[in-house]
Amino acid sequence: VQLQASGGGLVQPGGSLRLSCSVSGRTFNKYGWFRQAPGKEREFVAQIRWNGGQTTYTDPVKGRFTISRDKAKNEVYLQMNNLKPEDTAVYYCVAGMSTWYSLRPTDFGSWGEGTLVTVSS
């Protein structure tokens, strides 16, 4: 499976970005996004069930970020609104077959290359 993320960039606080992840190869039961800020560990951001569309978010992004997928295009998206400087990180598109409530990095077996999001004035 290949996961190709795009859409990162520099944005001012309060701005928006949409990350896209193109998926090819086998289908997993869930897809998501992790992020890693400088000097910090990778953290879970959001996930979506491929069939059904159920979603989960980490608390700091609830109400600001929205994960979605387009099954016809084999793409996963992360719409990020009201961005804050603390959202600055490399964002990774991930896929996995683990249970729904397994949110550790090791619970997602496939990772794409990251895309950098910088929130700064």
Side-chain angles (χ1 to χ4, degrees), residues 17-38:
L17 279 176
R18 189 176 85 151
L19 305 183
S20 299
C21 178
S22 177
V23 180
S24 61
R26 64 172 294 188
T27 299
F28 288 78
N29 69 338
K30 63 179 187 176
Y31 295 80
W33 295 88
F34 275 72
R35 65 186 180 184
Q36 186 168 22

Side-chain angles (χ1 to χ4, degrees), residues 33-111:
W33 295 88
F34 275 72
R35 65 186 180 184
Q36 186 168 22
K40 295 187 177 181
E41 295 184 352
R42 289 185 181 184
E43 68 168 338
F44 169 81
V45 176
Q47 68 173 358
I48 187 166
R49 196 185 299 276
W50 188 250
N51 293 316
Q54 181 182 2
T55 58
T56 304
Y57 298 91
T58 186
D59 284 345
V61 309
K62 284 181 180 177
R64 300 188 298 121
F65 290 12
T66 303
I67 188 171
S68 61
R69 89 279 191 245
D70 186 324
K71 296 177 71 175
K73 295 183 178 179
N74 284 332
E75 292 187 343
V76 178
Y77 310 102
L78 186 68
Q79 177 66 44
M80 304 184 294
N81 298 328
N82 190 22
L83 283 160
K84 304 176 180 181
E86 52 264 42
D87 295 318
T88 294
V90 176
Y91 284 71
Y92 297 90
C93 179
V94 299
M97 293 295 291
S98 62
T99 59
W100 181 246
Y101 296 104
S102 299
L103 304 178
R104 300 166 300 180
T106 52
D107 293 319
F108 293 82
S110 292
W111 288 68

